[in-house]
Amino acid sequence: MAQPLMPHATASWLVDNSSLTFQQIAEFCGLHILEVQAIADDTAATKLTGRDPLRSGELTQEEIERGQADPDYKLKMHREPDQAVRTKGPRYTPVSKRQDKPDGVAWLIRNHPELSDGQIGKLIGTTRSTIQALRERTHWNIANIQPKDPVTLGLTSQRELDAAVAKAAKARGAEAPVDTTFNEDREALIEELRAEREAHAREAEAALAAETETQSTGSGLDRDIDQAFRN
């Protein structure tokens, strides 16, 4: 199934601008449901700027409305995103994002040790010497570097990252990593949300009961005062 060009940014927009379920958004964007939960809770490593899938033509308002009306409905992409054209030269990175490169490299080193320096260099558009310095923690700014997802930072695309990871796994004679904890994590998340709803319901009931008791006590006191004056 095709995915949006910038899945995390698209998920952020859908969270903010629709009532689609996290599961629907996760499936459309090709993300884990807990990633969508993190985006909704603003606990993602980097604050995301939403990307409007309506404007890009990847979704229509009618399709979103179908999904909102039926939580089990799976969104269908209206038009696949334009593929980025890569040249033989080094990847160009806007000046505003170049300072993020070490953070992206550090994230890849920590989360995808199977990637070679050459693969990381192509994904991020940086030099082998920089990657080596980060591996050895001798980079001049190592104290201020925070590992952050390069896809979220806009340094590479999810497709390119997935392709590089799959290629590295194939070179090692292993299968590409598969998330086998999805159902377990999903059930844990559902259970957590259910517990939160139940706790809120109990708090609301307790508050209502306290308010009713206060009103009842006040009414009784008023009756006592009226009776005293009559006597």
Side-chain angles (χ1 to χ4, degrees), residues 59 179 210:
L59 270 179
D179 186 358

Side-chain angles (χ1 to χ4, degrees), residues 1 23 52 57 59 71 133 135 151-152 155-156 197 211 228 230:
M1 178 181 175
Q23 183 65 33
D52 186 351
L59 270 179
R135 285 190 185 278
V151 175
T152 300
L155 297 172
T156 188
R197 286 197 300 270
E211 182 179 353
R230 291 193 186 96

Side-chain angles (χ1 to χ4, degrees), residues 133-147:
L134 288 166
R135 285 190 185 278
E136 297 173 354
R137 301 190 62 78
T138 57
H139 190 277
W140 66 272
N141 196 34
I142 192 67
N144 297 315
I145 292 173
Q146 299 291 329

